[in-house]
Amino acid sequence: MKHMSLKEIAAACHGSYYGDESLLAKEVQGVVIDSRQIEADYLFIPIRGMRVDGHKFIPQVMENGALCTLSEEVLPDAAYPYILVESCTQALKDLAEHYRSHLDIKIVGITGSVGKTSTKEMVASVLEQKYQVLKTDGNFNNEIGLPLTIFRIREHHEVAVLEMGINHFGEMSRLAKIAKPDICVITNIGFCHLEFLIDRAGVLKAKTEVFDYLTDNASVILNGDDDMLATVENVQGKKPYFFGLNKAVDLYADDIRGLGLAGTSCIIHNGKESFEATISIPGNHMVYNALAGTAVGYALGLTSEEIKNGIEALVPVSGRNNLIQTENFTIIDDCYNANPVSMKASLEVLANAEGRKVAILGDMGELGKDENQLHFEVGVHAAELNIDTICCVGPHAKYIADGARSIEEGYSRILHFPTREEMLASLDTIVMKNDTILVKSSHMMGFSVVVEYLKMYHPKY
């Protein structure tokens, strides 16, 4: 890793180096916080967690070939090099900022209330038609995950697509200071993390902190159909580039056709140029993702044909509208996370299915003082879509059931279970062979267990 010698690392971390000074010019080959991922000549950063203190693994990682370790403690008997720092967590961020500053690579930063991961996947799929792309893995989008993603960038990479997730004011500023995006995409401003961000105006304020750390002449790409984002008139003295489903924006889509669970097709228009694309994942929200991918593609010089190929090459990821076909069911695995907007969008995808439709819905987290009403509104939406069975799990999901019952009074197929385990024990009363089943909740509910259970489940009826 260029510009990652032990001497440079110590300076970037504001730390003090202890050990063989002949090693100061040697560069590390990787940076990890997980002792199990250590390879030869790696740097280990021991993070103090709520359950585990990484410092206890320092002797082990050095025996396994690490070149150096950081430490918040003096190690008087150490027979290996280490860098003493005040905070390993802050050092991780400082070091990632240092490494990023020396990278000759385009950084695409993606944030928003809903659809960050699916948009990241779409953007990466498009850009891979022309470039060597690194993208955020899984949920590595916070103040620990984003630095670790940046450390994975190597010389052969030409573009990095970084997901940036927050739930507090100031957090985006810290992420953006590290990443310094050349292209910024904001998907929407929704009802996420209201426990900390208060209202949508707070969400907008928190998300747009990213503007303070963009590179010079950066491109800003925003959802023009979002009423909050539409108020952004200029960034760094330039008008943002807007996408949406209305013809007044810079890039728009029309002639949207649902193909059931097989996906969605649309025509995308960029000025005088247009092309048709088929997205493998159903739902209008995926059209917005395709538009974001198209906008980034054009910003980085791709042709319409390359962009179309990238859109159509998209492969769903686990927990994100991933369609699973088993012997008994069609499962829509969308259990990674949930908020009111994404919950309603997933229900609309389910409504496109043929045959009997079942929604297994869990609690949504961090919705603040209006959380009960927001759950209630999801239930109303589910009932209005005529979902055959609406199964609600968790204390807050009770209000989803209440909302559904307000539309379908006395409807016996609206069920509520206090816990996931109680729901699974009653599964024969919920699902039938050949059902299409949506599984959706916030990550805290652990609904990946429900998906795995359904994969192996043989219904009585």
Side-chain angles (χ1 to χ4, degrees):
M1 299 174 72
K2 288 187 176 180
H3 302 286
M4 291 286 280
S5 68
L6 297 188
K7 182 177 180 179
E8 290 172 294
I9 289 169
C13 295
H14 310 288
S16 300
Y17 176 80
Y18 294 86
D20 185 349
E21 293 193 0
S22 69
L23 295 175
L24 279 169
K26 191 167 184 178
E27 293 177 335
V28 300
Q29 299 303 304
V31 180
V32 296
I33 64 171
D34 186 335
S35 62
R36 296 166 296 183
Q37 297 174 349
I38 280 292
E39 296 182 29
D41 292 335
Y42 270 39
L43 174 71
F44 179 58
I45 301 183
I47 302 296
R48 296 189 193 275
M50 293 184 65
R51 298 180 180 175
V52 179
D53 182 355
H55 285 75
K56 77 174 187 177
F57 298 106
I58 289 176
Q60 174 187 326
V61 300
M62 299 310 298
E63 288 179 10
N64 290 341
L67 176 62
C68 185
T69 181
L70 301 190
S71 176
E72 295 174 9
E73 306 166 358
V74 174
L75 306 175
D77 299 323
Y80 44 77
Y82 75 94
I83 297 171
L84 181 66
V85 296
E86 185 174 338
S87 164
C88 285
T89 301
Q90 185 59 47
L92 174 75
K93 292 183 278 189
D94 291 341
L95 189 56
E97 182 180 348
H98 164 80
Y99 184 56
R100 164 45 182 133
S101 70
H102 290 91
L103 292 171
D104 183 17
I105 186 174
K106 292 296 184 183
I107 300 286
V108 181
I110 297 176
T111 190
S113 296
V114 182
K116 291 185 295 295
T117 298
S118 55
T119 300
K120 175 256 299 182
E121 293 294 327
M122 179 68 80
V123 169
S125 184
V126 167
L127 295 182
E128 284 167 354
Q129 304 305 306
K130 182 174 182 176
Y131 298 108
Q132 289 288 321
V133 178
L134 180 132
K135 64 183 179 182
T136 300
D137 276 346
N139 64 336
F140 277 58
N141 63 4
N142 60 16
E143 292 186 63
I144 298 294
L146 183 129
L148 292 174
T149 301
I150 288 174
F151 290 136
R152 290 175 46 231
I153 298 172
R154 295 293 185 268
E155 285 189 51
H156 68 278
H157 291 123
E158 298 169 292
V159 182
V161 183
L162 305 181
E163 182 179 333
M164 304 169 74
I166 65 162
N167 57 19
H168 287 79
F169 291 111
E171 204 168 355
M172 181 60 74
S173 291
R174 295 190 291 273
L175 292 177
K177 185 173 183 286
I178 297 167
K180 292 184 175 61
D182 300 285
I183 298 174
C184 168
V185 179
I186 305 183
T187 61
N188 45 55
I189 302 297
F191 297 91
C192 292
H193 313 303
L194 299 187
E195 180 180 355
F196 311 110
L197 302 179
I198 313 303
D199 54 22
R200 288 183 70 223
V203 176
L204 176 67
K205 180 181 179 182
K207 297 290 185 183
T208 54
E209 289 173 3
V210 67
F211 296 159
D212 294 335
Y213 291 96
L214 301 178
T215 57
D216 293 340
N217 299 313
S219 298
V220 174
I221 297 169
L222 306 178
N223 180 348
D225 289 348
D226 185 284
D227 61 323
M228 303 296 284
L229 290 175
T231 66
V232 179
E233 296 181 354
N234 74 81
V235 180
Q236 296 182 344
K238 294 195 306 182
K239 180 181 177 293
Y241 186 86
F242 288 102
F243 64 88
L245 303 186
N246 73 86
K247 295 181 180 180
V249 296
D250 302 295
L251 178 75
Y252 71 93
D254 61 10
D255 197 16
I256 299 169
R257 298 186 301 278
L259 308 175
L261 294 183
T264 307
S265 70
C266 65
I267 297 178
I268 294 175
H269 304 270
N270 177 34
K272 295 181 180 179
E273 192 170 4
S274 303
F275 64 91
E276 184 174 1
T278 299
I279 310 161
S280 62
I281 302 171
N284 277 11
H285 62 291
M286 290 304 302
V287 177
Y288 283 100
N289 295 347
L291 287 168
T294 300
V296 175
Y298 282 137
L300 290 178
L302 273 72
T303 66
S304 295
E305 185 65 24
E306 289 170 328
I307 292 169
K308 171 185 169 70
N309 292 341
I311 291 171
E312 297 186 343
L314 178 69
V315 177
V317 295
S318 177
R320 311 278 187 169
N321 262 314
N322 183 27
L323 203 64
I324 302 169
Q325 192 67 56
T326 75
E327 177 185 349
N328 298 295
F329 309 119
T330 299
I331 304 168
I332 304 173
D333 171 17
D334 199 12
C335 67
Y336 182 77
N337 220 334
N339 56 62
V341 175
S342 67
M343 191 79 88
K344 291 175 184 178
S346 295
L347 286 164
E348 289 164 9
V349 170
L350 175 63
N352 288 323
E354 296 182 0
R356 189 171 178 273
K357 296 172 272 290
V358 177
I360 300 179
L361 310 175
D363 288 355
M364 299 177 286
E366 296 184 0
L367 294 183
K369 61 183 176 61
D370 295 325
E371 61 185 358
N372 294 342
Q373 178 61 29
L374 292 169
H375 281 84
F376 187 93
E377 291 170 5
V378 166
V380 169
H381 193 66
E384 289 176 339
L385 290 171
N386 295 314
I387 304 302
D388 296 289
T389 294
I390 303 169
C391 177
C392 310
V393 184
H396 297 304
K398 172 186 178 297
Y399 294 95
I400 299 178
D402 290 346
R405 292 188 184 110
S406 74
I407 301 299
E408 296 282 352
E409 187 67 36
Y411 183 38
S412 63
R413 291 289 85 194
I414 300 170
L415 309 172
H416 175 254
F417 297 91
T419 67
R420 184 186 67 192
E421 289 70 27
E422 288 172 275
M423 182 274 294
L424 290 174
S426 302
L427 209 52
D428 274 330
T429 68
I430 302 167
V431 299
M432 299 173 63
K433 188 174 177 62
N434 299 320
D435 281 352
T436 298
I437 307 169
L438 168 67
V439 183
K440 180 79 172 169
S441 74
S442 282
H443 189 61
M444 62 186 182
M445 296 294 289
F447 267 29
S448 57
V449 171
V450 177
V451 172
E452 294 304 314
Y453 198 90
L454 286 169
K455 285 181 183 179
M456 306 300 295
Y457 193 72
H458 293 277
K460 286 185 178 179
Y461 308 103

